[in-house]
Amino acid sequence: MDLAEAQEFLDQFYAETSPTTRFDHRLWQIRHEIETTGSYTHTVEELTFGARVAWRNSARCIGRLYWNSLRVRDRRDVTKPADVAAQCVEHLHEATRGGRIRSTITVFAPDRPDQPGPRIHNDQLVRYAGHRLPNGEVRGDGRYADFTDHAVALGWQRPEPPGRFDVLPLVISGGDTEPEIFDLPADAVLEVPLSHPDHEWLADLRLRWHAVPAISNMPLDIGGVTYPAAPFNGWYLGTEIGARNLVDADRYNLLPVIAERLGLDTSSERTLWRDRALVEMVRAVQHSFDEAGVTMADHHSESRRFLTHVAREESAGRRCPADWSWIVPPVSGGLTPVYHRYYDEPDPTTRPAFLQP
Ligand code: ARG
């Protein structure tokens, strides 16, 4: 544990907030704790600020306008896989709120010199299985075929027959123990069945998606302390589901199906059948979430909000690093204002941060 990293965080915390403890005193406490235990413990205020700033520093996220309202669930006393799983379930309930989604993070025990913290192996709390079929195809989400195999090897009883939207179990290890699997109870996973405002046949395809994107494999790094399990969620942008998850060739690859039902001429790329089917897919997603009363942003509004955020950051005297290729939506890029400019280059050493798994 490097005192300099702790001090750098403390400097930022004191510069941006008004803590009641004197800076010198808090720094002395931290130094003392590091000398005697090899690490130190954030106050709840430090943890909350650190998690929010880690979001603010996430160069790939277009939704950062709301960084300062992130709800932080302090579960640093939770280390056992079964308890971590139970708290993830509670996280989903509290973040979902029947559809009025709240940006939430749950922070579990940090890594300590003598004891690594627990780890969630899923990349999100809710994901759909990709079942390998005897004919070599995958039923479900192609991206999760390996993870699904892994879960089965750990003892997961997959539904029989395997479906296209089977929610994967949580795979969690505690410190240095072997991973264990935990099924998510159905009432913790809100899902939206898809329909289209004009095309009734779309509902017959029996497509659906889960309401809450909750990333669970990015360690949270604050002032030299690493929290390996700190799942966090926001709410979806329609394009993430409608233009990527259901559409990417290695995911659900649905454009040929949609195009056929729309009666489009697929004989040549130049008919733009893919583009036309894509827009209808995004419309269906947006429409269905609206009908279900589940929070979802659209790429036009969210792009404008992001530029508001960049301007606010600049007037607060801060840089707002952003990764253009992640910020620009995967449809109609040039129609959104985020397309028409460049951003400050992200610096991989910036902290607090969510780290790459
Ligand atoms: N793109 C990811 C997905 O489709 C989710 C990433 C986080 N998105 C968000 N709106 N917070 O599942």
Side-chain angles (χ1 to χ4, degrees):
M1 169 67 59
D2 183 358
L3 181 65
E5 285 181 54
Q7 181 161 359
E8 194 185 321
F9 169 65
L10 208 63
D11 283 338
Q12 188 179 16
F13 179 61
Y14 275 74
E16 291 192 36
T17 69
S18 332
T20 46
T21 312
R22 277 195 30 232
F23 178 88
D24 293 345
H25 179 66
R26 180 65 186 129
L27 185 61
W28 176 85
Q29 275 182 340
I30 291 175
R31 178 181 296 128
H32 180 74
E33 197 180 341
I34 293 177
E35 276 164 11
T36 50
T37 71
S39 187
Y40 72 102
T41 312
H42 290 126
T43 63
V44 173
E45 292 74 23
E46 289 164 0
L47 181 73
T48 301
F49 174 76
R52 289 175 174 170
V53 174
W55 182 8
R56 190 175 84 196
N57 286 335
S58 298
R60 294 172 166 184
C61 177
I62 193 175
R64 285 180 274 166
L65 180 62
Y66 309 108
W67 67 273
N68 206 17
S69 61
L70 177 66
R71 283 186 65 240
V72 179
R73 301 177 69 240
D74 177 7
R75 296 295 183 276
R76 286 174 291 173
D77 55 339
V78 176
T79 54
K80 286 214 269 326
D83 300 337
V84 171
Q87 280 302 323
C88 288
V89 169
E90 221 165 277
H91 176 129
L92 285 172
H93 280 296
E94 289 182 17
T96 307
R97 275 202 298 178
R100 286 166 50 233
I101 296 171
R102 274 193 296 200
S103 300
T104 304
I105 184 169
T106 301
V107 183
F108 293 105
D111 286 335
R112 303 201 57 103
D114 49 328
Q115 177 66 47
R119 195 160 95 75
I120 302 168
H121 295 254
N122 312 58
D123 68 359
Q124 289 192 31
L125 296 182
V126 182
R127 295 273 86 172
Y128 295 121
H131 305 285
R132 285 186 211 284
L133 304 178
N135 67 6
E137 285 174 18
V138 173
R139 176 173 298 148
D141 194 339
R143 181 186 289 177
Y144 293 93
D146 287 343
F147 189 89
T148 303
D149 290 343
H150 181 54
V152 169
L154 289 171
W156 184 49
Q157 303 271 343
R158 65 171 119 216
E160 195 50 57
R164 288 178 305 163
F165 297 98
D166 296 335
V167 174
L168 284 162
L170 295 174
V171 178
I172 301 174
S173 50
D176 26 35
T177 65
E178 286 302 304
E180 296 169 53
I181 58 166
F182 301 92
D183 273 310
L184 284 172
D187 66 3
V189 182
L190 181 62
E191 294 179 279
V192 177
L194 300 192
S195 62
H196 190 284
D198 302 331
H199 301 297
E200 266 185 40
W201 50 260
L202 198 134
D204 303 337
L205 300 177
R206 306 235 167 268
L207 306 175
R208 55 206 288 124
W209 205 259
H210 56 90
V212 177
I215 294 178
S216 47
N217 66 348
M218 296 179 84
L220 168 61
D221 198 297
I222 303 173
V225 177
T226 303
Y227 299 93
F232 59 87
N233 76 279
W235 51 79
Y236 264 119
L237 232 80
T239 53
E240 300 184 84
I241 301 167
R244 299 296 311 279
N245 301 350
L246 293 173
V247 158
D248 281 3
D250 61 339
R251 307 285 302 275
Y252 282 81
N253 193 23
L254 283 165
L255 287 188
V257 178
I258 303 292
E260 198 210 283
R261 296 288 191 116
L262 285 168
L264 300 178
D265 173 4
T266 60
S267 64
S268 151
E269 287 291 7
R270 304 174 71 91
T271 67
L272 301 189
W273 63 270
R274 277 193 224 262
D275 312 65
R276 296 177 64 190
L278 184 60
V279 169
E280 298 312 327
M281 191 78 246
V282 177
R283 271 186 84 198
V285 169
Q286 208 95 59
H287 167 80
S288 310
F289 272 63
D290 288 350
E291 289 278 286
V294 174
T295 312
M296 170 167 274
D298 69 85
H299 49 296
H300 300 288
S301 321
E302 211 56 34
S303 295
R304 280 200 308 276
R305 286 195 197 108
F306 180 67
L307 293 187
T308 303
H309 169 67
V310 173
R312 274 197 204 169
E313 286 299 289
E314 279 164 5
S315 49
R318 294 190 288 261
R319 290 166 17 96
C320 181
D323 184 336
W324 190 97
S325 71
W326 278 68
I327 296 295
V328 171
V331 290
S332 309
L335 297 180
T336 66
V338 291
Y339 179 92
H340 299 278
R341 53 164 292 171
Y342 290 114
Y343 302 93
D344 283 333
E345 198 65 34
D347 169 358
T349 66
T350 301
R351 296 291 182 275
F354 292 108
L355 306 181
Q356 287 309 312

